[in-house]
Amino acid sequence: QVQLEESGGGSVQAGGSLRLSCAASRSIISSNTMAWYRQAPGKQRELVASISSGGNLRYEDSVKGRFTISRANARNVVYLDMSGLKPEDTAVYYCNARRPAVGGYVEHWGQGTLVTVSS
């Protein structure tokens, strides 16, 4: 069973920066699409950024130019560098790993890390 553990959340003022890390218990970073999702209070979980096994990047429009997803395959870690944080970025951020499988896909989730941005 794959375990994903997020870290790096915290409280910052608007305009500040944070780096989130997602550590995987097994060597899956390079073979899965790794993604960061977030869920704000009262809202649905949304995709923030993803990086495919081939290195293709995808960002939600509101974070483009401010957030950067990257991975360190040898360390089994995925990062989300966040700068220019805004109060609307406040949410629980979740790490996700997904790969194709017979009949659909297999995915794993971390427990989430809270990011709070104050104005």
Side-chain angles (χ1 to χ4, degrees), residues 7 47 90 99 114:
S7 61
L47 176 67
T90 295
R99 63 173 175 82
L114 177 63

Side-chain angles (χ1 to χ4, degrees), residues 14-33:
S17 300
L18 282 174
R19 166 177 263 200
L20 304 184
S21 299
C22 171
S25 59
R26 291 166 50 193
S27 299
I28 65 165
I29 299 299
S30 61
S31 60
N32 281 247
T33 292

Side-chain angles (χ1 to χ4, degrees), residues 3-115:
Q3 292 185 328
L4 301 175
E5 183 173 1
E6 303 97 335
S7 61
S11 297
V12 296
Q13 290 189 329
S17 300
L18 282 174
R19 166 177 263 200
L20 304 184
S21 299
C22 171
S25 59
R26 291 166 50 193
S27 299
I28 65 165
I29 299 299
S30 61
S31 60
N32 281 247
T33 292
M34 302 301 300
W36 287 95
Y37 286 75
R38 67 185 178 187
Q39 188 166 19
K43 295 188 177 181
Q44 290 187 333
R45 191 172 296 190
E46 64 176 357
L47 176 67
V48 176
S50 65
I51 179 168
S52 72
S53 58
N56 293 321
L57 304 177
R58 177 183 173 187
Y59 294 97
E60 195 270 329
D61 285 346
S62 69
V63 308
K64 287 179 180 177
R66 300 188 298 122
F67 291 11
T68 302
I69 188 171
S70 62
R71 65 187 181 200
N73 293 343
R75 298 174 62 187
N76 299 321
V77 179
V78 176
Y79 302 102
L80 184 68
D81 288 294
M82 307 184 294
S83 63
L85 283 163
K86 304 175 181 180
E88 51 264 43
D89 294 319
T90 295
V92 177
Y93 285 71
Y94 297 91
C95 181
N96 173 273
R98 176 183 288 196
R99 63 173 175 82
V102 175
Y105 57 86
V106 173
E107 68 176 353
H108 305 279
W109 292 92
Q111 81 289 348
T113 186
L114 177 63
V115 172

